[in-house]
Amino acid sequence: MTVRTTTPDLSSKDPHWWRQAVIYQIYPRSFADADGDGLGDLRGITQRLTHLAALGVDALWLSPFYPSELADGGYDVEDHRGVDPRLGTLDDFDALVAEAHRLGLKVIVDLVPNHTSHRHAWFQEALNAGPGSAARDRYVFRDGRGARGELPPTDWQSVFGGSAWQRVPDGQWYLHLFTPEQPDLNWENEQVRADFRTTLKFWSDRGVDGFRVDVAHALAKDLSEPLRDLGAPELSREEALTGFEPGTHPFYDRDEVHEIYRDWRKILDAYAPPRMAVAEAWVPGARRALYARPDELGQAFNFEYLQASWDADELRRVITGSLADAAAAGASATWVLSNHDVVRHTSRLMLPPGTDDNAWLLSGGRAPEIGEAAGLRRARAATLLMLALPGSAYLYQGEELGLPEVADLPTAVLQDPIWEQTGHVRKGRDGCRVPLPWTTTGPSYGFGPGGSWLPQPPGFAAYAVEAQDGVAGSTLELYRTALRLRRKLLDGETLTWSDDEPRGVLRFDRSDRWRCVANLSGRTVPLPAGEVLLTSVPLEDGRLGPDTTAWLAL
């Protein structure tokens, strides 16, 4: 095992590179498989990094690659400073970072501080130590209610359904906001805080350029006795927050969480250049901006944009609010259309307003049917709109190929614990995690020399990198061209809206003398003045067709 004793010298790089970067999310188990076991791995990623360099992204973000039994796709972490043996070794990780840096790519890793795996050494120690022990204080253990403690301590619900409490043989209960295999840590415990300081330094010392912080809004909890019931446990995370004054929910978005991130920022700023961080915080925009303050994480994911429908008025409202929230925090805005937890936007943006994503998945993608060509056209338009916005754009692996959601996976092959946790009510997130196609033939379309851990549909061959590389008009070439242009055009972090466009059309000018026009209406519209730099699909007699975006030089 190679252990770095000095910090790689990255001081010549722009310390604010992340403010308008394009960051590519890799779900390691589904990106590339080097050893042929059907599971993506670190060596597979390293072998394919030239794809990202050619694409033109600034950084890659690795979803968890830590030791895990995969009770939640790798977010049940057994060792926050290790590598899952099925995915490689620390030497493999070092080789990946070195190759990424050689190619000019930054590396961001997922940090999962809210919980561990139930297989984590600390949790096993807690189970053996018994009630009242120092080991149990690292987690959230409580006695149950009822005459014999047979009832959960509160009515809190897991994100995946059912009670957020699990009983252990000695009668106590432990908190798990996610699966029972993911016990929540107690962030009031100084050992927990110290251990994550060590983790931040461990990966930063190995050359990592930043961190994506999972469930950043849930670390601080009100654990004072008696614990408070929510009173409406069936509400979603977002709905539950509305019943409390900001910062006072028992376990989401508490004001005390910001003390943790101010402490982390001191560590991140001790490196040259400072390590960046981005929060996954499912909270309203004004509250989300707090996580993005310069003395905290610096940036936060914008879920309002991801959840917005393909509607010009809604998107303008979300974009305007997001830019204002980011500016108020001294941060840059973030934009994302797809990730490892949601239906791919090539399919999602075609669903009629009000359509339940889960119901559509349960129908196998047949209610309603989505035309792949129409979905791809809309997705390409959405991509050019997003890449024209000031701030950071986060891409999800495979979207540069135009991959649709694999909605018709048979239930027998599903791996996402949501399927079992909800009693087969929610199909889960496997459809966006199907391994990537690299070639048009082979047992897994070039994903690896063997098969793939989730089945790839035959239609994936047409989306493969091999099928699109160098092909004019392909989605892959559209992304490459857009990212090259974006790098040249960006200067400043503001935009100016036009109020003279037809209904359903978005137009804004950038301070750097270029313009974006997106036609979200169902009709062809005139193109405003400017030299055409790029369009998501060809113009129609010089006019902008439906579901089309254009970039223009002024």
Side-chain angles (χ1 to χ4, degrees):
M1 181 179 75
T2 301
V3 178
R4 295 190 183 276
T5 58
T6 59
T7 303
D9 180 12
L10 304 176
S11 59
S12 63
K13 306 300 183 182
D14 178 7
H16 304 295
W17 63 269
W18 49 270
R19 291 190 69 93
Q20 296 211 68
V22 176
I23 298 166
Y24 185 101
Q25 181 191 358
I26 290 178
Y27 191 72
R29 292 164 176 80
S30 298
F31 189 71
D33 170 25
D35 62 13
D37 65 355
L39 199 65
D41 47 45
L42 297 185
R43 287 196 297 116
I45 295 170
T46 303
Q47 292 170 4
R48 294 290 188 180
L49 286 179
T50 52
H51 171 72
L52 302 191
L55 189 61
V57 301
D58 300 290
L60 59 125
W61 150 33
L62 292 173
S63 290
F65 51 85
Y66 311 113
S68 171
E69 66 175 317
L70 304 182
D72 182 22
Y75 284 88
D76 48 315
V77 178
E78 297 174 21
D79 178 1
H80 291 85
R81 299 190 287 273
V83 173
D84 192 311
R86 291 166 293 184
L87 274 65
T89 65
L90 281 170
D91 284 342
D92 292 329
F93 179 83
D94 289 340
L96 188 160
V97 173
E99 176 65 2
H101 286 167
R102 186 187 71 81
L103 293 169
L105 299 167
K106 302 290 196 301
V107 178
I108 298 167
V109 299
D110 235 308
L111 196 65
V112 187
N114 180 69
H115 47 259
T116 71
S117 166
H118 67 148
R119 293 184 175 184
H120 192 285
W122 274 6
F123 193 72
Q124 291 300 307
E125 181 185 355
L127 291 179
N128 293 328
S133 63
R136 286 207 175 178
D137 189 60
R138 297 183 189 124
Y139 294 89
V140 183
F141 278 86
R142 289 294 184 274
D143 294 329
R145 295 185 294 191
R148 296 174 300 279
E150 71 277 10
L151 300 176
T154 68
D155 65 0
W156 301 352
Q157 296 288 290
S158 160
V159 170
F160 293 155
S163 175
W165 296 94
Q166 180 77 12
R167 202 175 192 189
V168 299
D170 59 37
Q172 278 203 314
W173 300 72
Y174 67 86
L175 178 67
H176 61 91
L177 292 182
F178 294 86
T179 71
E181 292 86 0
Q182 294 168 287
D184 278 46
L185 288 163
N186 171 20
W187 274 85
E188 293 180 2
N189 186 295
E190 178 53 33
Q191 290 184 32
V192 171
R193 297 189 178 216
D195 191 68
F196 273 89
R197 293 186 196 107
T198 300
T199 297
L200 286 171
K201 295 174 184 176
F202 179 87
W203 294 113
S204 295
D205 288 345
R206 299 192 90 88
V208 161
D209 303 286
F211 299 88
R212 178 263 191 187
V213 183
D214 185 62
V215 198
H217 59 301
L219 275 58
K221 300 174 175 69
D222 179 7
L223 300 178
S224 58
E225 297 290 351
L227 297 180
R228 292 181 286 160
D229 280 340
L230 293 180
E234 72 281 358
L235 296 179
S236 69
R237 288 178 288 185
E238 295 79 8
E239 292 170 331
L241 284 170
T242 63
F244 294 85
E245 289 295 317
T248 68
H249 188 279
F251 51 84
Y252 282 145
D253 191 35
R254 292 188 60 78
D255 288 336
E256 301 94 309
V257 77
H258 298 289
E259 173 196 345
I260 297 169
Y261 300 131
R262 284 191 288 271
D263 180 52
W264 286 12
R265 177 45 60 190
K266 296 173 185 175
I267 296 171
L268 300 176
D269 281 352
Y271 290 86
R275 284 6 183 190
M276 64 81 70
V278 57
E280 183 208 27
W282 289 87
V283 297
R287 293 291 298 182
R288 185 180 65 243
L290 301 179
Y291 296 80
R293 290 178 290 193
D295 65 340
E296 295 193 31
L297 296 177
Q299 200 170 62
F301 281 135
N302 181 353
F303 293 111
E304 282 93 339
Y305 188 75
L306 183 148
Q307 294 172 321
S309 59
W310 188 242
D311 175 83
D313 293 337
E314 182 180 358
L315 281 170
R316 176 166 172 169
R317 184 170 60 253
V318 169
I319 291 167
T320 300
S322 300
L323 289 171
D325 289 337
S332 59
T334 65
W335 315 104
V336 61
L337 289 168
S338 287
N339 64 33
H340 64 293
D341 282 336
V342 299
V343 171
R344 286 186 177 275
H345 68 275
T346 307
S347 302
R348 189 186 71 251
L349 291 177
M350 291 300 294
L351 296 176
T355 301
D356 180 76
D357 290 1
N358 182 59
W360 179 74
L361 289 172
L362 288 172
S363 77
R366 290 183 287 273
E369 293 275 3
I370 291 177
E372 286 193 9
L376 182 56
R377 179 182 178 121
R378 182 167 291 183
R380 288 163 62 111
T383 293
L384 283 199
L385 172 61
M386 177 183 74
L387 291 177
L389 295 170
S392 295
Y394 285 78
L395 310 181
Y396 178 55
Q397 64 177 42
E399 71 171 78
E400 77 278 15
L401 306 177
L403 290 183
E405 183 80 1
V406 183
D408 59 353
L409 286 171
T411 57
V413 306
L414 297 181
Q415 304 290 319
D416 192 337
I418 288 178
W419 177 243
E420 296 296 336
Q421 288 282 335
T422 62
H424 299 176
V425 171
R426 291 169 57 192
K427 193 170 184 180
R429 302 158 292 182
D430 289 315
C432 65
R433 300 176 178 181
V434 174
L436 298 191
W438 295 91
T439 60
T440 56
T441 59
S444 60
Y445 301 112
F447 169 67
S452 62
W453 67 282
L454 284 171
Q456 302 156 300
F460 262 31
Y463 291 97
V465 173
E466 182 182 51
Q468 300 191 49
D469 184 27
V471 177
S474 70
T475 301
L476 176 58
E477 292 301 333
L478 175 70
Y479 269 75
R480 288 172 174 171
T481 302
L483 293 181
R484 281 196 301 270
L485 269 174
R486 184 183 188 274
R487 191 183 295 270
K488 295 177 181 177
L489 292 170
L490 285 187
D491 181 19
E493 297 183 10
T494 61
L495 59 77
T496 302
W497 291 106
S498 168
D499 294 320
D500 299 327
E501 300 308 306
R503 185 169 181 80
V505 176
L506 291 174
R507 189 184 102 188
F508 55 82
D509 294 349
R510 295 297 307 273
S511 58
D512 19 31
R513 305 295 296 167
W514 62 295
R515 170 177 292 164
C516 176
V517 188
N519 182 10
L520 285 69
S521 74
R523 61 195 182 282
T524 302
V525 299
L527 197 64
E531 175 193 354
V532 177
L533 299 173
L534 184 64
T535 60
S536 56
V537 296
L539 298 175
E540 300 178 10
D541 295 324
R543 293 162 62 87
L544 202 64
D547 290 345
T548 306
T549 298
W551 292 0
L552 310 171
L554 300 180

